Amino acid sequence: MEIWPGKPYPLGATFDGRGTNFALYSSVAEHVYLCLIGKDGTEERVELKEVDGGVWHCFLPGVRPGQRYGYRIDGPYEPAHGLRCDPSKLLLDPYAKAIDGQVTNDQALFSYSFDNPAEHIALDSAKVAMTSIVINPYFDWGHDRPPKHDYNDTIIYEAHVRGMTMRHPDIPENIRGTYQAMAHHAVIDYLVDLGVTAIELMPCHQFVNDTSLQAKGLSNYWGYNTIGFFAPHGAYAASGSTGGQVDEFKSMVKAYHEAGLEVIMDVVYNHTAEGNHMGPTLSFRGIDNPSYYRLVEDSPEHYFDTTGTGNSLNMRSPHTLQLIMDSLRYWITDMHVDGFRFDLASTLARELHDVDKLSSFFDIIQQDPIISQVKLIAEPWDVGPGGYNVGGFPPLWSEWNGKYRDAVRDFWRGNPAALSEFASRITGSSDLYEATGRRPMASINFVTAHDGFTLHDLVSYNHKHNAANGEGGADGDSHNRSWNCGAEGPTDDEAINTLRDKQERNFLTTLLLSQGVPMICHGDEVRRTQGGNNNGYCQDNETTWIDWNLDDHATALHDFTRSLISFRKEHPVFRRRRFLTGNTWRGGDTEIGEVEWMRPDASLMADADWQTGFAQCLMMYINGSTIEETDERGVPIVDDDILLAFNASSDPVDFTIPDERYADAWTDVLSTGVPLATASTYKPGAPFTLEPHSIHVFIRDRVTPAPDTPRGRAAARGGFVPKA
């Protein structure tokens, strides 16, 4: 075979039309062998003799896309010193753009004997190992342009490739559960009609199906078990995992962009699928164990684990940081994704023991001209010491706001003394984000996500029901802040079912009318249930897949959610780019704040009212004249005034419409209780009764704005003005 020296960069396998350049980093290897795998499984080895800065490389003129390959690393096998080179193992390229195969619990994948873990054995793994694939990087993107929705206009829909499509009747059966299914017009049209602006896909990096789950007849459904940071997961390809998954993923992104939807990827850079010191040798472990993984300093045979998965990537290694940054840039530039949600992001900030807010990881992203310009969302916790860091990430980052989730759940299940926290969270959580110069968009607001109860289960179960996971109920969170409304699980009691419907509407209304960026978990808008299982990570079946055969209750909730999203989009007062400051707007001789908090009798809340343990009701007035922002043309944004009344108690409560300083009249536009047959107008001082567990939303009666008011000046300049 003709072998040219090649180049040390870019890392991975790069086809340029003439042949393929191969480059692999290993600081501990003594010899590196590139193994070309034939269609019949035969293996041809090429020793890499060119080494620059620890990068072993060559160029093979005859190698074209579709070629399967792997590496064998000859070097020290000294686990006690953290070194685990084993040339009997065929290893994946860390930079592989496509990967074929899956993992079994075959002895050949392990460097120790199952019968005697202290004994090193060297069985060849070629017949059972996953293999890397050379890809053709060319793809016709046409006129693809990222939608680039502003954060304050963003509504995220968290979804799973299989969960979204496996039971969809309008998608051909042969492509369900694939990227092609996600790109099907039935899915895209649904999302566009619902009104969301971005889909956040659960892990689509190549991941490993845990052998322990396979033994139970289960599988790693969620996919938080990455082995390839550049490769789309092959099992999600309708064409099979032979390289076609790359073009299928690109076609999916292109279709979403054409529909005006952004694609955000849930990425797992905190650990890999190789597990702890007893795990299989698939790639990183056998290539350069101490460079890629955090090892216990006084016991390097073991892995420093802050993820609960057996290992953590080594963020102190420049080559590991390079791997992550190269991966992020690749998904942006080559795959055209619009952002990332980082799983267990606190682990990425651990250079030493504690989470370091000034770590190299953040510094590199901050200065990177490509990565810094997309949406970056942190899951701001891990399982290590000091790992809970909601509000602790630097500027440029948004965060899953776990405190928002907890506060909203507590309020609507009737917890005492929840008013103050609830008010802080629905106004953007300035206490968490403002001090670091961030804005309300730093808060990704959610009530439910893939991890935990679905929305319907949140109002139907007090306890988790995870027996199907085969862990004796030990898995999943036991403190869910849920309320079953009077019965555990399904019931024929109409009063309980009616209450559950209201609670679902309460959660969605709160979510979509809060400051910050709302995130809806897929299927919540159609009452998806997992039967009380709050940890569906291993349930790749009807437990977790959306049932698109909607009953009347599901259809009604879907329509309600769609109207809520539309209402949010119509009113920039819910999508402020800046935190509420306490500024006032003078209307005549009256000063009215940006937001006013009132008791049910319309008197302003006093400090003592916020601390009242039994209080479960309040009104919130939002002043649409004080947004103090402009659109892209510099025109002031002015909106309607909004009045929201909340009743989380189990009794009806009498409320009073605020006095004429706020408006001459109010019109009700939304109720989470009894549906509004027709809109009603209320004058200042008028009473209304808010039924238990419900929200009522009013809008200031729409009138032609006077010319000397902010509304009038905005109208004169062509700005946003409520239509008469």
Side-chain angles (χ1 to χ4, degrees), residues 218-251:
L218 302 171
S219 64
N220 192 318
Y221 170 67
W222 284 352
Y224 293 96
N225 203 28
T226 302
I227 196 62
F229 296 112
F230 293 78
H233 188 57
Y236 293 163
S239 59
S241 58
T242 56
Q245 60 263 48
V246 179
D247 282 357
E248 286 191 32
F249 187 93
K250 290 178 178 178
S251 296

mmCIF file of all heavy atoms in Angstrom, residues 218-251:
data_model
loop_
_atom_site.group_PDB
_atom_site.id
_atom_site.type_symbol
_atom_site.label_atom_id
_atom_site.label_comp_id
_atom_site.label_asym_id
_atom_site.label_seq_id
_atom_site.Cartn_x
_atom_site.Cartn_y
_atom_site.Cartn_z
ATOM 1 N N LEU A 218 -33.360 -4.504 28.499
ATOM 2 C CA LEU A 218 -33.604 -3.071 28.401
ATOM 3 C C LEU A 218 -32.519 -2.443 27.535
ATOM 4 O O LEU A 218 -31.673 -3.128 26.972
ATOM 5 C CB LEU A 218 -33.623 -2.450 29.803
ATOM 6 C CG LEU A 218 -34.656 -3.029 30.774
ATOM 7 C CD1 LEU A 218 -34.435 -2.501 32.179
ATOM 8 C CD2 LEU A 218 -36.072 -2.706 30.300
ATOM 9 N N SER A 219 -32.542 -1.137 27.417
ATOM 10 C CA SER A 219 -31.530 -0.464 26.606
ATOM 11 C C SER A 219 -31.331 0.953 27.102
ATOM 12 O O SER A 219 -32.163 1.497 27.838
ATOM 13 C CB SER A 219 -31.945 -0.443 25.129
ATOM 14 O OG SER A 219 -33.122 0.329 24.949
ATOM 15 N N ASN A 220 -30.223 1.550 26.694
ATOM 16 C CA ASN A 220 -29.962 2.944 27.059
ATOM 17 C C ASN A 220 -30.746 3.842 26.112
ATOM 18 O O ASN A 220 -30.275 4.232 25.056
ATOM 19 C CB ASN A 220 -28.462 3.249 26.977
ATOM 20 C CG ASN A 220 -28.127 4.589 27.613
ATOM 21 O OD1 ASN A 220 -28.832 5.570 27.427
ATOM 22 N ND2 ASN A 220 -27.044 4.627 28.374
ATOM 23 N N TYR A 221 -31.974 4.151 26.515
ATOM 24 C CA TYR A 221 -32.882 4.917 25.662
ATOM 25 C C TYR A 221 -32.474 6.382 25.562
ATOM 26 O O TYR A 221 -32.452 6.959 24.477
ATOM 27 C CB TYR A 221 -34.297 4.784 26.208
ATOM 28 C CG TYR A 221 -35.315 5.706 25.591
ATOM 29 C CD1 TYR A 221 -35.686 5.562 24.256
ATOM 30 C CD2 TYR A 221 -35.931 6.699 26.348
ATOM 31 C CE1 TYR A 221 -36.640 6.397 23.692
ATOM 32 C CE2 TYR A 221 -36.885 7.529 25.799
ATOM 33 C CZ TYR A 221 -37.242 7.381 24.460
ATOM 34 O OH TYR A 221 -38.180 8.217 23.902
ATOM 35 N N TRP A 222 -32.147 6.993 26.694
ATOM 36 C CA TRP A 222 -31.815 8.415 26.669
ATOM 37 C C TRP A 222 -30.550 8.708 25.861
ATOM 38 O O TRP A 222 -30.479 9.703 25.169
ATOM 39 C CB TRP A 222 -31.636 8.934 28.097
ATOM 40 C CG TRP A 222 -32.919 9.141 28.835
ATOM 41 C CD1 TRP A 222 -34.179 9.057 28.336
ATOM 42 C CD2 TRP A 222 -33.052 9.474 30.217
ATOM 43 N NE1 TRP A 222 -35.101 9.312 29.316
ATOM 44 C CE2 TRP A 222 -34.436 9.577 30.488
ATOM 45 C CE3 TRP A 222 -32.151 9.694 31.247
ATOM 46 C CZ2 TRP A 222 -34.923 9.893 31.752
ATOM 47 C CZ3 TRP A 222 -32.636 10.007 32.512
ATOM 48 C CH2 TRP A 222 -34.004 10.108 32.760
ATOM 49 N N GLY A 223 -29.531 7.861 25.992
ATOM 50 C CA GLY A 223 -28.320 8.050 25.212
ATOM 51 C C GLY A 223 -27.208 8.825 25.888
ATOM 52 O O GLY A 223 -26.269 9.256 25.213
ATOM 53 N N TYR A 224 -27.270 8.982 27.211
ATOM 54 C CA TYR A 224 -26.208 9.708 27.916
ATOM 55 C C TYR A 224 -25.032 8.768 28.205
ATOM 56 O O TYR A 224 -24.639 8.572 29.356
ATOM 57 C CB TYR A 224 -26.753 10.318 29.209
ATOM 58 C CG TYR A 224 -27.757 11.422 28.961
ATOM 59 C CD1 TYR A 224 -29.120 11.163 28.981
ATOM 60 C CD2 TYR A 224 -27.340 12.716 28.668
ATOM 61 C CE1 TYR A 224 -30.048 12.161 28.727
ATOM 62 C CE2 TYR A 224 -28.258 13.724 28.418
ATOM 63 C CZ TYR A 224 -29.608 13.447 28.448
ATOM 64 O OH TYR A 224 -30.512 14.442 28.186
ATOM 65 N N ASN A 225 -24.469 8.218 27.148
ATOM 66 C CA ASN A 225 -23.387 7.241 27.296
ATOM 67 C C ASN A 225 -22.499 7.314 26.053
ATOM 68 O O ASN A 225 -22.288 6.331 25.348
ATOM 69 C CB ASN A 225 -23.976 5.835 27.465
ATOM 70 C CG ASN A 225 -23.028 4.886 28.149
ATOM 71 O OD1 ASN A 225 -22.175 5.291 28.937
ATOM 72 N ND2 ASN A 225 -23.153 3.605 27.844
ATOM 73 N N THR A 226 -21.973 8.497 25.807
ATOM 74 C CA THR A 226 -21.302 8.806 24.545
ATOM 75 C C THR A 226 -19.979 8.067 24.387
ATOM 76 O O THR A 226 -19.213 7.919 25.333
ATOM 77 C CB THR A 226 -21.047 10.330 24.451
ATOM 78 O OG1 THR A 226 -22.298 11.012 24.560
ATOM 79 C CG2 THR A 226 -20.379 10.698 23.140
ATOM 80 N N ILE A 227 -19.712 7.641 23.137
ATOM 81 C CA ILE A 227 -18.405 7.088 22.790
ATOM 82 C C ILE A 227 -17.813 7.819 21.586
ATOM 83 O O ILE A 227 -16.620 7.722 21.333
ATOM 84 C CB ILE A 227 -18.494 5.569 22.510
ATOM 85 C CG1 ILE A 227 -17.093 4.934 22.531
ATOM 86 C CG2 ILE A 227 -19.207 5.302 21.199
ATOM 87 C CD1 ILE A 227 -16.371 5.042 23.854
ATOM 88 N N GLY A 228 -18.635 8.572 20.845
ATOM 89 C CA GLY A 228 -18.131 9.294 19.677
ATOM 90 C C GLY A 228 -18.640 10.722 19.654
ATOM 91 O O GLY A 228 -19.832 10.960 19.427
ATOM 92 N N PHE A 229 -17.756 11.684 19.879
ATOM 93 C CA PHE A 229 -18.166 13.088 20.008
ATOM 94 C C PHE A 229 -18.335 13.794 18.667
ATOM 95 O O PHE A 229 -18.739 14.957 18.634
ATOM 96 C CB PHE A 229 -17.164 13.841 20.878
ATOM 97 C CG PHE A 229 -17.110 13.351 22.298
ATOM 98 C CD1 PHE A 229 -15.986 12.711 22.782
ATOM 99 C CD2 PHE A 229 -18.194 13.509 23.131
ATOM 100 C CE1 PHE A 229 -15.933 12.257 24.090
ATOM 101 C CE2 PHE A 229 -18.159 13.054 24.440
ATOM 102 C CZ PHE A 229 -17.024 12.420 24.922
ATOM 103 N N PHE A 230 -18.028 13.120 17.571
ATOM 104 C CA PHE A 230 -18.178 13.707 16.241
ATOM 105 C C PHE A 230 -19.213 12.953 15.406
ATOM 106 O O PHE A 230 -19.626 13.446 14.359
ATOM 107 C CB PHE A 230 -16.839 13.691 15.494
ATOM 108 C CG PHE A 230 -15.796 14.594 16.076
ATOM 109 C CD1 PHE A 230 -15.092 14.219 17.212
ATOM 110 C CD2 PHE A 230 -15.503 15.827 15.496
ATOM 111 C CE1 PHE A 230 -14.115 15.043 17.760
ATOM 112 C CE2 PHE A 230 -14.539 16.660 16.035
ATOM 113 C CZ PHE A 230 -13.836 16.270 17.171
ATOM 114 N N ALA A 231 -19.624 11.781 15.835
ATOM 115 C CA ALA A 231 -20.447 10.890 15.011
ATOM 116 C C ALA A 231 -21.909 10.932 15.422
ATOM 117 O O ALA A 231 -22.227 10.734 16.594
ATOM 118 C CB ALA A 231 -19.922 9.459 15.122
ATOM 119 N N PRO A 232 -22.829 11.157 14.474
ATOM 120 C CA PRO A 232 -24.254 10.993 14.794
ATOM 121 C C PRO A 232 -24.543 9.533 15.131
ATOM 122 O O PRO A 232 -23.965 8.627 14.525
ATOM 123 C CB PRO A 232 -24.961 11.401 13.495
ATOM 124 C CG PRO A 232 -23.943 12.099 12.667
ATOM 125 C CD PRO A 232 -22.616 11.540 13.070
ATOM 126 N N HIS A 233 -25.428 9.318 16.069
ATOM 127 C CA HIS A 233 -25.733 7.953 16.500
ATOM 128 C C HIS A 233 -26.246 7.131 15.318
ATOM 129 O O HIS A 233 -27.248 7.477 14.677
ATOM 130 C CB HIS A 233 -26.760 7.977 17.617
ATOM 131 C CG HIS A 233 -27.005 6.647 18.252
ATOM 132 N ND1 HIS A 233 -25.995 5.902 18.831
ATOM 133 C CD2 HIS A 233 -28.144 5.906 18.382
ATOM 134 C CE1 HIS A 233 -26.498 4.775 19.309
ATOM 135 N NE2 HIS A 233 -27.790 4.754 19.042
ATOM 136 N N GLY A 234 -25.567 6.023 15.036
ATOM 137 C CA GLY A 234 -25.864 5.245 13.844
ATOM 138 C C GLY A 234 -27.219 4.577 13.859
ATOM 139 O O GLY A 234 -27.847 4.404 12.814
ATOM 140 N N ALA A 235 -27.717 4.184 15.040
ATOM 141 C CA ALA A 235 -28.994 3.480 15.116
ATOM 142 C C ALA A 235 -30.177 4.384 14.774
ATOM 143 O O ALA A 235 -31.287 3.887 14.555
ATOM 144 C CB ALA A 235 -29.185 2.885 16.513
ATOM 145 N N TYR A 236 -29.956 5.694 14.711
ATOM 146 C CA TYR A 236 -31.020 6.627 14.333
ATOM 147 C C TYR A 236 -31.034 6.893 12.831
ATOM 148 O O TYR A 236 -31.753 7.797 12.372
ATOM 149 C CB TYR A 236 -30.851 7.960 15.068
ATOM 150 C CG TYR A 236 -31.062 7.895 16.564
ATOM 151 C CD1 TYR A 236 -30.610 8.930 17.383
ATOM 152 C CD2 TYR A 236 -31.716 6.834 17.166
ATOM 153 C CE1 TYR A 236 -30.796 8.893 18.755
ATOM 154 C CE2 TYR A 236 -31.906 6.783 18.537
ATOM 155 C CZ TYR A 236 -31.441 7.822 19.326
ATOM 156 O OH TYR A 236 -31.626 7.786 20.691
ATOM 157 N N ALA A 237 -30.263 6.148 12.079
ATOM 158 C CA ALA A 237 -30.213 6.330 10.624
ATOM 159 C C ALA A 237 -31.096 5.296 9.948
ATOM 160 O O ALA A 237 -30.966 4.095 10.202
ATOM 161 C CB ALA A 237 -28.780 6.214 10.117
ATOM 162 N N ALA A 238 -31.982 5.741 9.075
ATOM 163 C CA ALA A 238 -32.832 4.809 8.341
ATOM 164 C C ALA A 238 -32.011 3.947 7.399
ATOM 165 O O ALA A 238 -32.387 2.812 7.093
ATOM 166 C CB ALA A 238 -33.894 5.581 7.555
ATOM 167 N N SER A 239 -30.866 4.478 6.965
ATOM 168 C CA SER A 239 -30.006 3.756 6.030
ATOM 169 C C SER A 239 -29.054 2.803 6.732
ATOM 170 O O SER A 239 -28.299 2.087 6.076
ATOM 171 C CB SER A 239 -29.200 4.754 5.194
ATOM 172 O OG SER A 239 -28.403 5.585 6.039
ATOM 173 N N GLY A 240 -29.058 2.807 8.064
ATOM 174 C CA GLY A 240 -28.136 1.964 8.811
ATOM 175 C C GLY A 240 -26.860 2.707 9.140
ATOM 176 O O GLY A 240 -26.544 3.748 8.556
ATOM 177 N N SER A 241 -26.091 2.162 10.084
ATOM 178 C CA SER A 241 -24.901 2.862 10.574
ATOM 179 C C SER A 241 -23.678 2.536 9.725
ATOM 180 O O SER A 241 -22.692 1.991 10.194
ATOM 181 C CB SER A 241 -24.640 2.504 12.032
ATOM 182 O OG SER A 241 -24.480 1.096 12.172
ATOM 183 N N THR A 242 -23.756 2.890 8.443
ATOM 184 C CA THR A 242 -22.641 2.622 7.531
ATOM 185 C C THR A 242 -22.085 3.909 6.931
ATOM 186 O O THR A 242 -21.446 3.887 5.890
ATOM 187 C CB THR A 242 -23.105 1.697 6.396
ATOM 188 O OG1 THR A 242 -24.229 2.297 5.725
ATOM 189 C CG2 THR A 242 -23.510 0.338 6.931
ATOM 190 N N GLY A 243 -22.341 5.013 7.590
ATOM 191 C CA GLY A 243 -21.877 6.308 7.118
ATOM 192 C C GLY A 243 -23.014 7.210 6.686
ATOM 193 O O GLY A 243 -22.881 8.427 6.662
ATOM 194 N N GLY A 244 -24.158 6.622 6.328
ATOM 195 C CA GLY A 244 -25.294 7.416 5.884
ATOM 196 C C GLY A 244 -25.913 8.260 6.967
ATOM 197 O O GLY A 244 -26.655 9.206 6.681
ATOM 198 N N GLN A 245 -25.609 7.950 8.228
ATOM 199 C CA GLN A 245 -26.177 8.723 9.329
ATOM 200 C C GLN A 245 -25.749 10.187 9.281
ATOM 201 O O GLN A 245 -26.468 11.069 9.769
ATOM 202 C CB GLN A 245 -25.804 8.110 10.687
ATOM 203 C CG GLN A 245 -24.314 8.012 10.989
ATOM 204 C CD GLN A 245 -23.761 6.648 10.664
ATOM 205 O OE1 GLN A 245 -24.009 6.132 9.587
ATOM 206 N NE2 GLN A 245 -23.010 6.055 11.596
ATOM 207 N N VAL A 246 -24.589 10.464 8.702
ATOM 208 C CA VAL A 246 -24.110 11.846 8.649
ATOM 209 C C VAL A 246 -24.995 12.684 7.736
ATOM 210 O O VAL A 246 -25.479 13.757 8.121
ATOM 211 C CB VAL A 246 -22.641 11.896 8.172
ATOM 212 C CG1 VAL A 246 -22.156 13.341 8.086
ATOM 213 C CG2 VAL A 246 -21.754 11.093 9.117
ATOM 214 N N ASP A 247 -25.241 12.205 6.521
ATOM 215 C CA ASP A 247 -26.087 12.953 5.595
ATOM 216 C C ASP A 247 -27.529 13.012 6.074
ATOM 217 O O ASP A 247 -28.223 14.012 5.863
ATOM 218 C CB ASP A 247 -26.028 12.325 4.204
ATOM 219 C CG ASP A 247 -24.752 12.686 3.451
ATOM 220 O OD1 ASP A 247 -23.949 13.475 3.995
ATOM 221 O OD2 ASP A 247 -24.553 12.178 2.332
ATOM 222 N N GLU A 248 -27.998 11.964 6.739
ATOM 223 C CA GLU A 248 -29.364 11.991 7.260
ATOM 224 C C GLU A 248 -29.517 13.054 8.339
ATOM 225 O O GLU A 248 -30.529 13.764 8.400
ATOM 226 C CB GLU A 248 -29.758 10.619 7.804
ATOM 227 C CG GLU A 248 -30.027 9.584 6.723
ATOM 228 C CD GLU A 248 -30.670 8.318 7.269
ATOM 229 O OE1 GLU A 248 -31.436 8.425 8.253
ATOM 230 O OE2 GLU A 248 -30.411 7.239 6.719
ATOM 231 N N PHE A 249 -28.515 13.165 9.197
ATOM 232 C CA PHE A 249 -28.577 14.196 10.236
ATOM 233 C C PHE A 249 -28.556 15.579 9.597
ATOM 234 O O PHE A 249 -29.328 16.467 9.978
ATOM 235 C CB PHE A 249 -27.413 14.039 11.211
ATOM 236 C CG PHE A 249 -27.505 14.959 12.409
ATOM 237 C CD1 PHE A 249 -28.094 14.525 13.576
ATOM 238 C CD2 PHE A 249 -27.026 16.262 12.350
ATOM 239 C CE1 PHE A 249 -28.204 15.374 14.684
ATOM 240 C CE2 PHE A 249 -27.124 17.114 13.440
ATOM 241 C CZ PHE A 249 -27.718 16.665 14.609
ATOM 242 N N LYS A 250 -27.677 15.776 8.632
ATOM 243 C CA LYS A 250 -27.595 17.076 7.958
ATOM 244 C C LYS A 250 -28.912 17.417 7.263
ATOM 245 O O LYS A 250 -29.373 18.569 7.314
ATOM 246 C CB LYS A 250 -26.447 17.068 6.952
ATOM 247 C CG LYS A 250 -25.059 17.037 7.568
ATOM 248 C CD LYS A 250 -23.978 16.980 6.497
ATOM 249 C CE LYS A 250 -22.572 16.998 7.104
ATOM 250 N NZ LYS A 250 -21.516 16.895 6.074
ATOM 251 N N SER A 251 -29.515 16.430 6.603
ATOM 252 C CA SER A 251 -30.792 16.669 5.927
ATOM 253 C C SER A 251 -31.869 17.073 6.921
ATOM 254 O O SER A 251 -32.719 17.927 6.630
ATOM 255 C CB SER A 251 -31.223 15.415 5.157
ATOM 256 O OG SER A 251 -30.313 15.110 4.121
#
